[in-house]
Amino acid sequence: MNSPREKLALHGGPKTIRTPFKRYNPLGAEEVAAAKAVVESGVLSQFLGRWGEDFYGGPKVREFEQACARYFGVKRAITVNSWTSGLIAAVGALGIEPGDEIIVSPWTMCASATAILHWNAIPVFADIEPETFCLDPRSVEACITPHTKAIMAVDICGHSADLDALRAIADRHGLKIISDTAQAPGALYKGRYAGTLADIGGYSLNYHKHIHTGEGGILVTNDEELAERLCLIRNHAEAVVADKGVTDLTNMIGHNFRLGEIECAIGIEQLKKLKPLVATRQHAAARLTAGLATLPGLRLPVTKPDCTHVYYMYQMILDIARLGVPKAQIFAALKAEGVEGLGITFANIHLLPVFQKKQAYGRHGFPWSSDICKREVSYQKGICPVAEGLQDETYLGFQTCLHTMHDDEVDLMIAAFHKVWGQLDTLRA
Ligand SMILES: *Cc1c(COP(=O)(O)O)cnc(C)c1O
């Protein structure tokens, strides 16, 4: 460890962390063997875009889906080629109409909101809870209008949104719930897996998530009818509806959101490792928490009672008033010490150009400029003070799924924080 008296790296002193952290890699010999077997079988996909048995894909697709349904304790699991595709399919399957409003968190990855726009529905941003950064149920309720049809809950950073509170609101107002659980596979909410308490939920299998297949996603639902609609949207609905005997054509626009056999074979092996992989993130987070707990003006991640946190992000809050240093300075100092995977910005999706300029489809402001949009929806700065405050002043996040986070690396990170905190006065100048 560096002695606290050593000059900060930002000011020309020695770096605390001199070798780059090792990259997180959840793949092993099992995935190699599984992928090889699929290649040797010659069947990389077995989907057919017409009605028949192969409408649901080949053997690995179905095996992976059954394994996911068993694992997460849901009736149906449906694979898709990305979780972005999964979110689009979910909004479509719920029968959302152009101009319908869906309430969504601003503190997320853009796909949570753009999946809504995809169907010409209108995202309405509610604010987040300061503890978990997930949708604040009180703010959600305040955003409801006669046009609201659904809530897009996001289990951000690895912690579930307050699904019981959101469900109570949804029931009072006749709304559906979608759960974007991309960052929280395996997290528990009152004994059940995050993602499974919504009407439709699911997980990303992109390469920077806890488990992955390169690209991919899994939808989960306990509603057989919704599951069939998801399967239709996934696989060229319009080409098969006649033979399948589908009578409700709402949002039955054909897409190709199908995931391949190799990815599903890898996914089967990854799913078996989800628990131990999540445990490695939780172990690293617990070590960080023990090491950073004494630092003043730094709030560490919060886990609510009856929940578990799977730490896709280790999210910290800076008490800037107490520290007397702008977060950009603290960030620069930590980065100079060699701390990787650290971020000061996440997102306030409503502040992205697509919402600020209200221009999605074409040049003329569609869908907001059209009469399908029934009222003026505001995306002005100020509508989500908690989320905006995080970005502007207080948020400091560490992405735990980027690096192996072995104990020695975690200890170096802790040392870097202590070194910077020991010399905050030099950053105040
Ligand atoms: C990663 C992520 C997505 C998108 O998942 P992809 O599989 O990359 O399309 C959506 N929402 C959240 C919160 C995410 O973290």
Side-chain angles (χ1 to χ4, degrees), residues 128-384:
I128 56 175
E129 294 181 326
E131 296 80 27
T132 61
F133 307 172
C134 297
L135 270 180
D136 180 343
R138 282 164 312 169
S139 180
V140 168
E141 189 135 40
C143 288
I144 291 174
T145 74
H147 315 297
T148 310
K149 291 291 151 56
I151 300 166
M152 172 80 76
V154 185
D155 299 329
I156 206 70
C157 298
H159 192 292
S160 177
D162 189 351
L163 258 288
D164 278 357
L166 293 176
R167 178 59 75 190
I169 293 168
D171 286 349
R172 263 202 303 285
H173 298 274
L175 313 178
K176 299 286 188 190
I177 301 179
I178 298 172
S179 193
D180 178 349
T181 312
Q183 301 189 357
L188 291 170
Y189 177 84
K190 301 186 181 175
R192 289 162 74 188
Y193 280 119
T196 65
L197 290 95
D199 293 282
I200 303 175
Y203 316 98
S204 171
L205 293 169
N206 174 268
Y207 75 92
H208 50 67
K209 301 290 155 71
H210 289 84
I211 60 169
H212 77 88
T213 62
E215 302 287 349
I218 319 163
L219 289 146
V220 291
T221 181
N222 284 306
D223 185 319
E224 295 282 359
E225 208 171 303
L226 285 176
E228 281 306 299
R229 289 174 58 76
L230 290 168
C231 289
L232 280 159
I233 292 170
R234 169 174 72 174
N235 188 8
H236 300 292
E238 93 286 0
V240 298
V241 283
D243 288 344
K244 195 176 187 285
V246 175
T247 50
D248 181 3
L249 294 183
T250 310
N251 296 338
M252 286 299 117
I253 299 171
H255 294 276
N256 177 351
F257 290 159
R258 308 174 311 204
L259 192 61
E261 290 285 293
I262 295 176
E263 288 84 352
C264 289
I266 291 171
I268 292 164
E269 299 307 321
Q270 284 280 278
L271 186 64
K272 292 178 195 162
K273 300 179 182 177
L274 177 57
K275 256 195 198 102
L277 285 168
V278 161
T280 64
R281 304 304 90 189
Q282 290 170 328
H283 171 83
R287 198 171 177 94
L288 274 174
T289 294
L292 300 177
T294 57
L295 296 180
L298 183 68
R299 202 201 70 195
L300 305 177
V302 173
T303 305
K304 284 194 178 179
D306 290 329
C307 291
T308 63
H309 196 317
V310 297
Y311 298 103
Y312 176 73
M313 300 279 294
Y314 185 86
Q315 81 275 42
M316 294 164 277
I317 300 252
L318 298 167
D319 183 344
I320 293 302
R322 180 161 177 195
L323 295 169
V325 183
K327 82 164 174 179
Q329 278 287 93
I330 293 175
F331 175 70
L334 288 166
K335 220 172 153 217
E337 294 301 330
V339 179
E340 295 173 70
L342 205 59
I344 41 173
T345 56
F346 191 54
N348 269 282
I349 302 298
H350 62 296
L351 300 179
L352 294 178
V354 59
F355 295 106
Q356 287 302 299
K357 297 192 159 74
K358 288 195 177 173
Q359 182 182 359
Y361 290 95
R363 287 186 193 82
H364 305 295
F366 194 86
W368 297 279
S369 61
S370 139
D371 48 11
I372 63 162
C373 185
K374 288 144 199 129
R375 68 179 182 102
E376 182 76 23
V377 174
S378 172
Y379 300 126
Q380 288 311 302
K381 189 154 188 192
I383 60 170
C384 298

Side-chain angles (χ1 to χ4, degrees), residues 38 43-46 57-61 259-266:
V38 172
V43 180
L44 303 191
S45 178
Q46 201 170 300
K60 289 297 167 192
V61 168
L259 192 61
E261 290 285 293
I262 295 176
E263 288 84 352
C264 289
I266 291 171

